[in-house]
Short mmCIF file of all heavy atoms in Angstrom, two decimals:
data_model
loop_
_atom_site.label_atom_id
_atom_site.label_comp_id
_atom_site.label_asym_id
_atom_site.label_seq_id
_atom_site.Cartn_x
_atom_site.Cartn_y
_atom_site.Cartn_z
N GLU A 146 60.62 -38.61 -7.09
CA GLU A 146 61.84 -38.91 -7.83
C GLU A 146 62.58 -37.63 -8.23
O GLU A 146 63.79 -37.63 -8.38
CB GLU A 146 61.51 -39.72 -9.09
CG GLU A 146 61.18 -41.16 -8.79
CD GLU A 146 60.72 -41.91 -10.03
OE1 GLU A 146 60.78 -41.35 -11.13
OE2 GLU A 146 60.29 -43.07 -9.87
N GLY A 147 61.79 -36.56 -8.38
CA GLY A 147 62.40 -35.29 -8.79
C GLY A 147 63.08 -34.56 -7.65
O GLY A 147 63.81 -33.60 -7.89
N LEU A 148 62.86 -35.02 -6.41
CA LEU A 148 63.53 -34.38 -5.28
C LEU A 148 65.02 -34.72 -5.30
O LEU A 148 65.40 -35.79 -5.78
CB LEU A 148 62.93 -34.86 -3.96
CG LEU A 148 61.43 -34.64 -3.73
CD1 LEU A 148 61.02 -35.19 -2.38
CD2 LEU A 148 61.08 -33.16 -3.82
N SER A 149 65.80 -33.82 -4.75
CA SER A 149 67.21 -34.16 -4.59
C SER A 149 67.32 -35.23 -3.51
O SER A 149 66.37 -35.45 -2.74
CB SER A 149 68.02 -32.93 -4.20
OG SER A 149 67.69 -32.57 -2.87
N ASP A 150 68.48 -35.88 -3.44
CA ASP A 150 68.65 -36.91 -2.41
C ASP A 150 68.41 -36.34 -1.02
O ASP A 150 67.74 -36.94 -0.18
CB ASP A 150 70.07 -37.50 -2.49
CG ASP A 150 70.26 -38.34 -3.74
OD1 ASP A 150 69.25 -38.84 -4.27
OD2 ASP A 150 71.41 -38.48 -4.19
N THR A 151 68.96 -35.15 -0.79
CA THR A 151 68.82 -34.54 0.54
C THR A 151 67.36 -34.25 0.84
O THR A 151 66.88 -34.52 1.94
CB THR A 151 69.64 -33.23 0.61
OG1 THR A 151 70.98 -33.53 0.25
CG2 THR A 151 69.60 -32.64 2.00
N GLU A 152 66.65 -33.69 -0.16
CA GLU A 152 65.23 -33.36 0.06
C GLU A 152 64.41 -34.63 0.32
O GLU A 152 63.57 -34.65 1.21
CB GLU A 152 64.68 -32.63 -1.17
CG GLU A 152 65.22 -31.22 -1.33
CD GLU A 152 64.98 -30.65 -2.72
OE1 GLU A 152 64.46 -31.38 -3.60
OE2 GLU A 152 65.36 -29.49 -2.94
N ARG A 153 64.69 -35.65 -0.47
CA ARG A 153 63.91 -36.89 -0.31
C ARG A 153 64.18 -37.52 1.06
O ARG A 153 63.27 -37.93 1.77
CB ARG A 153 64.25 -37.88 -1.43
CG ARG A 153 63.35 -39.12 -1.42
CD ARG A 153 63.49 -39.96 -2.67
NE ARG A 153 64.87 -40.34 -2.91
CZ ARG A 153 65.63 -39.87 -3.88
NH1 ARG A 153 65.14 -38.97 -4.72
NH2 ARG A 153 66.87 -40.26 -4.03
N HIS A 154 65.45 -37.56 1.45
CA HIS A 154 65.78 -38.12 2.75
C HIS A 154 65.15 -37.31 3.88
O HIS A 154 64.60 -37.85 4.83
CB HIS A 154 67.30 -38.17 2.93
CG HIS A 154 67.95 -39.17 2.04
ND1 HIS A 154 69.30 -39.22 1.85
CD2 HIS A 154 67.42 -40.15 1.27
CE1 HIS A 154 69.59 -40.21 1.00
NE2 HIS A 154 68.47 -40.78 0.64
N ALA A 155 65.27 -36.00 3.75
CA ALA A 155 64.72 -35.13 4.79
C ALA A 155 63.21 -35.33 4.90
O ALA A 155 62.65 -35.42 6.00
CB ALA A 155 65.04 -33.66 4.47
N PHE A 156 62.56 -35.43 3.74
CA PHE A 156 61.11 -35.58 3.75
C PHE A 156 60.70 -36.92 4.36
O PHE A 156 59.77 -36.98 5.18
CB PHE A 156 60.56 -35.46 2.32
CG PHE A 156 59.07 -35.59 2.24
CD1 PHE A 156 58.24 -34.57 2.70
CD2 PHE A 156 58.47 -36.74 1.76
CE1 PHE A 156 56.86 -34.69 2.66
CE2 PHE A 156 57.09 -36.87 1.71
CZ PHE A 156 56.28 -35.84 2.16
N ILE A 157 61.39 -37.98 3.98
CA ILE A 157 61.04 -39.30 4.51
C ILE A 157 61.24 -39.33 6.02
O ILE A 157 60.40 -39.83 6.78
CB ILE A 157 61.87 -40.40 3.82
CG1 ILE A 157 61.33 -40.61 2.39
CG2 ILE A 157 61.82 -41.71 4.60
CD1 ILE A 157 62.14 -41.57 1.54
N LEU A 158 62.36 -38.78 6.47
CA LEU A 158 62.62 -38.78 7.92
C LEU A 158 61.59 -37.94 8.67
O LEU A 158 61.12 -38.31 9.74
CB LEU A 158 64.04 -38.25 8.20
CG LEU A 158 65.18 -39.20 7.84
CD1 LEU A 158 66.52 -38.49 7.97
CD2 LEU A 158 65.16 -40.44 8.74
N ARG A 159 61.22 -36.82 8.07
CA ARG A 159 60.28 -35.92 8.75
C ARG A 159 58.85 -36.44 8.66
O ARG A 159 58.14 -36.52 9.66
CB ARG A 159 60.37 -34.53 8.08
CG ARG A 159 59.60 -33.42 8.79
CD ARG A 159 60.22 -33.12 10.11
NE ARG A 159 59.84 -31.81 10.62
CZ ARG A 159 59.64 -31.57 11.91
NH1 ARG A 159 59.77 -32.54 12.79
NH2 ARG A 159 59.33 -30.36 12.32
N HIS A 160 58.46 -36.80 7.44
CA HIS A 160 57.05 -37.11 7.20
C HIS A 160 56.69 -38.52 7.64
O HIS A 160 55.65 -38.73 8.26
CB HIS A 160 56.75 -36.94 5.71
CG HIS A 160 55.29 -37.01 5.38
ND1 HIS A 160 54.39 -36.03 5.76
CD2 HIS A 160 54.55 -37.95 4.73
CE1 HIS A 160 53.18 -36.36 5.35
NE2 HIS A 160 53.25 -37.52 4.72
N TYR A 161 57.53 -39.47 7.31
CA TYR A 161 57.18 -40.86 7.59
C TYR A 161 57.77 -41.37 8.90
O TYR A 161 57.18 -42.21 9.56
CB TYR A 161 57.62 -41.77 6.44
CG TYR A 161 56.92 -41.46 5.14
CD1 TYR A 161 57.61 -41.03 4.03
CD2 TYR A 161 55.53 -41.60 5.05
CE1 TYR A 161 56.96 -40.74 2.85
CE2 TYR A 161 54.86 -41.30 3.86
CZ TYR A 161 55.58 -40.87 2.77
OH TYR A 161 54.92 -40.58 1.60
N GLU A 162 58.96 -40.89 9.25
CA GLU A 162 59.59 -41.37 10.48
C GLU A 162 59.33 -40.45 11.67
O GLU A 162 59.61 -40.81 12.80
CB GLU A 162 61.10 -41.53 10.28
CG GLU A 162 61.47 -42.63 9.29
CD GLU A 162 60.98 -44.00 9.73
OE1 GLU A 162 61.21 -44.37 10.89
OE2 GLU A 162 60.33 -44.68 8.92
N GLY A 163 58.81 -39.27 11.39
CA GLY A 163 58.50 -38.35 12.48
C GLY A 163 59.72 -37.85 13.24
O GLY A 163 59.64 -37.55 14.43
N CYS A 164 60.85 -37.79 12.56
CA CYS A 164 62.08 -37.35 13.24
C CYS A 164 62.05 -35.84 13.44
O CYS A 164 61.59 -35.10 12.57
CB CYS A 164 63.30 -37.70 12.40
SG CYS A 164 63.59 -39.45 12.24
N PRO A 165 62.59 -35.37 14.57
CA PRO A 165 62.70 -33.92 14.75
C PRO A 165 63.78 -33.35 13.84
O PRO A 165 64.66 -34.08 13.37
CB PRO A 165 63.11 -33.79 16.22
CG PRO A 165 63.69 -35.11 16.60
CD PRO A 165 63.04 -36.13 15.73
N ILE A 166 63.69 -32.08 13.58
CA ILE A 166 64.63 -31.43 12.65
C ILE A 166 66.09 -31.63 13.08
O ILE A 166 66.97 -31.87 12.25
CB ILE A 166 64.31 -29.91 12.57
CG1 ILE A 166 63.03 -29.69 11.75
CG2 ILE A 166 65.46 -29.12 11.96
CD1 ILE A 166 63.14 -30.08 10.28
N GLU A 167 66.35 -31.58 14.38
CA GLU A 167 67.72 -31.71 14.86
C GLU A 167 68.30 -33.07 14.48
O GLU A 167 69.47 -33.18 14.07
CB GLU A 167 67.79 -31.53 16.38
CG GLU A 167 67.46 -30.13 16.88
CD GLU A 167 65.98 -29.77 16.73
OE1 GLU A 167 65.14 -30.70 16.69
OE2 GLU A 167 65.67 -28.57 16.63
N GLN A 168 67.47 -34.10 14.60
CA GLN A 168 67.95 -35.44 14.26
C GLN A 168 68.17 -35.57 12.75
O GLN A 168 69.17 -36.16 12.29
CB GLN A 168 66.96 -36.51 14.73
CG GLN A 168 67.52 -37.92 14.60
CD GLN A 168 66.56 -38.99 15.07
OE1 GLN A 168 65.37 -38.74 15.25
NE2 GLN A 168 67.06 -40.20 15.25
N ILE A 169 67.26 -34.99 11.98
CA ILE A 169 67.42 -35.04 10.52
C ILE A 169 68.72 -34.34 10.13
O ILE A 169 69.46 -34.81 9.27
CB ILE A 169 66.21 -34.37 9.82
CG1 ILE A 169 64.93 -35.13 10.15
CG2 ILE A 169 66.42 -34.31 8.32
CD1 ILE A 169 63.66 -34.43 9.72
N ALA A 170 68.98 -33.21 10.80
CA ALA A 170 70.21 -32.47 10.50
C ALA A 170 71.44 -33.34 10.77
O ALA A 170 72.39 -33.35 9.99
CB ALA A 170 70.25 -31.19 11.33
N GLU A 171 71.38 -34.08 11.87
CA GLU A 171 72.53 -34.95 12.20
C GLU A 171 72.67 -36.08 11.18
O GLU A 171 73.77 -36.42 10.76
CB GLU A 171 72.36 -35.53 13.61
CG GLU A 171 72.70 -34.54 14.70
CD GLU A 171 72.49 -35.13 16.08
OE1 GLU A 171 72.20 -36.34 16.17
OE2 GLU A 171 72.60 -34.39 17.06
N VAL A 172 71.54 -36.65 10.80
CA VAL A 172 71.58 -37.74 9.83
C VAL A 172 72.15 -37.25 8.51
O VAL A 172 72.98 -37.91 7.88
CB VAL A 172 70.18 -38.35 9.61
CG1 VAL A 172 70.19 -39.33 8.44
CG2 VAL A 172 69.69 -39.05 10.87
N LEU A 173 71.68 -36.08 8.09
CA LEU A 173 72.11 -35.55 6.79
C LEU A 173 73.46 -34.85 6.86
O LEU A 173 74.05 -34.54 5.83
CB LEU A 173 71.06 -34.58 6.24
CG LEU A 173 69.66 -35.15 5.99
CD1 LEU A 173 68.72 -34.06 5.48
CD2 LEU A 173 69.72 -36.28 4.97
N GLY A 174 73.90 -34.59 8.08
CA GLY A 174 75.18 -33.91 8.23
C GLY A 174 75.12 -32.45 7.82
O GLY A 174 76.05 -31.92 7.22
N VAL A 175 73.98 -31.82 8.12
CA VAL A 175 73.82 -30.40 7.77
C VAL A 175 73.33 -29.64 9.00
O VAL A 175 73.01 -30.24 10.03
CB VAL A 175 72.81 -30.22 6.61
CG1 VAL A 175 73.31 -30.91 5.35
CG2 VAL A 175 71.44 -30.78 7.00
N GLN A 176 73.27 -28.32 8.87
CA GLN A 176 72.73 -27.50 9.95
C GLN A 176 71.21 -27.70 10.03
O GLN A 176 70.57 -28.07 9.03
CB GLN A 176 73.03 -26.02 9.69
CG GLN A 176 74.50 -25.67 9.69
CD GLN A 176 75.14 -25.83 11.06
OE1 GLN A 176 74.56 -25.45 12.07
NE2 GLN A 176 76.33 -26.42 11.10
N ALA A 177 70.66 -27.40 11.22
CA ALA A 177 69.22 -27.59 11.41
C ALA A 177 68.41 -26.75 10.41
O ALA A 177 67.41 -27.23 9.86
CB ALA A 177 68.84 -27.23 12.84
N GLY A 178 68.88 -25.54 10.17
CA GLY A 178 68.16 -24.67 9.23
C GLY A 178 68.12 -25.27 7.84
O GLY A 178 67.09 -25.21 7.14
N ALA A 179 69.24 -25.87 7.44
CA ALA A 179 69.30 -26.48 6.10
C ALA A 179 68.38 -27.70 6.03
O ALA A 179 67.73 -27.93 5.00
CB ALA A 179 70.75 -26.88 5.79
N ALA A 180 68.33 -28.44 7.13
CA ALA A 180 67.45 -29.63 7.15
C ALA A 180 66.00 -29.19 7.04
O ALA A 180 65.21 -29.76 6.28
CB ALA A 180 67.67 -30.42 8.44
N LYS A 181 65.66 -28.15 7.81
CA LYS A 181 64.28 -27.64 7.78
C LYS A 181 63.94 -27.15 6.37
O LYS A 181 62.85 -27.40 5.86
CB LYS A 181 64.15 -26.50 8.80
CG LYS A 181 62.72 -26.05 9.00
CD LYS A 181 62.66 -24.81 9.87
CE LYS A 181 62.75 -25.14 11.34
NZ LYS A 181 62.45 -23.98 12.20
N HIS A 182 64.89 -26.47 5.75
CA HIS A 182 64.65 -25.94 4.43
C HIS A 182 64.51 -27.06 3.39
O HIS A 182 63.73 -26.95 2.44
CB HIS A 182 65.79 -24.99 4.03
CG HIS A 182 65.44 -24.11 2.88
ND1 HIS A 182 64.40 -23.20 2.93
CD2 HIS A 182 65.97 -24.01 1.63
CE1 HIS A 182 64.30 -22.58 1.77
NE2 HIS A 182 65.24 -23.06 0.97
N SER A 183 65.25 -28.16 3.62
CA SER A 183 65.13 -29.30 2.70
C SER A 183 63.73 -29.89 2.77
O SER A 183 63.14 -30.24 1.74
CB SER A 183 66.16 -30.38 3.06
OG SER A 183 67.45 -29.91 2.82
N VAL A 184 63.21 -30.00 3.99
CA VAL A 184 61.85 -30.51 4.15
C VAL A 184 60.88 -29.57 3.43
O VAL A 184 60.00 -30.01 2.69
CB VAL A 184 61.47 -30.63 5.64
CG1 VAL A 184 60.00 -31.03 5.79
CG2 VAL A 184 62.37 -31.63 6.34
N PHE A 185 61.08 -28.29 3.63
CA PHE A 185 60.19 -27.30 3.02
C PHE A 185 60.22 -27.39 1.49
O PHE A 185 59.18 -27.39 0.83
CB PHE A 185 60.58 -25.89 3.50
CG PHE A 185 59.93 -24.79 2.71
CD1 PHE A 185 58.54 -24.65 2.71
CD2 PHE A 185 60.67 -23.90 1.95
CE1 PHE A 185 57.92 -23.64 1.99
CE2 PHE A 185 60.07 -22.90 1.23
CZ PHE A 185 58.68 -22.76 1.25
N ARG A 186 61.44 -27.49 0.95
CA ARG A 186 61.56 -27.57 -0.52
C ARG A 186 60.87 -28.83 -1.04
O ARG A 186 60.20 -28.81 -2.07
CB ARG A 186 63.03 -27.56 -0.94
CG ARG A 186 63.65 -26.18 -0.95
CD ARG A 186 64.92 -26.17 -1.80
NE ARG A 186 65.81 -27.26 -1.45
CZ ARG A 186 66.74 -27.20 -0.51
NH1 ARG A 186 66.89 -26.10 0.18
NH2 ARG A 186 67.50 -28.25 -0.26
N ALA A 187 61.02 -29.91 -0.29
CA ALA A 187 60.37 -31.16 -0.70
C ALA A 187 58.86 -30.98 -0.71
O ALA A 187 58.18 -31.37 -1.67
CB ALA A 187 60.79 -32.29 0.23
N VAL A 188 58.33 -30.36 0.35
CA VAL A 188 56.87 -30.18 0.44
C VAL A 188 56.40 -29.27 -0.69
O VAL A 188 55.35 -29.50 -1.31
CB VAL A 188 56.49 -29.60 1.82
CG1 VAL A 188 55.00 -29.24 1.86
CG2 VAL A 188 56.83 -30.58 2.92
#
Side-chain angles (χ1 to χ4, degrees):
Chain A
E146 285 174 6
L148 301 180
S149 70
D150 290 335
T151 305
E152 289 164 357
R153 188 169 54 251
H154 291 168
F156 180 73
I157 286 174
L158 286 172
R159 188 67 160 144
H160 189 69
Y161 296 117
E162 293 300 311
C164 294
I166 286 294
E167 293 71 24
Q168 190 180 14
I169 298 170
E171 282 179 6
V172 171
L173 299 179
V175 297
Q176 296 293 318
K181 189 188 279 190
H182 197 61
S183 293
V184 174
F185 168 63
R186 280 199 310 272
V188 173

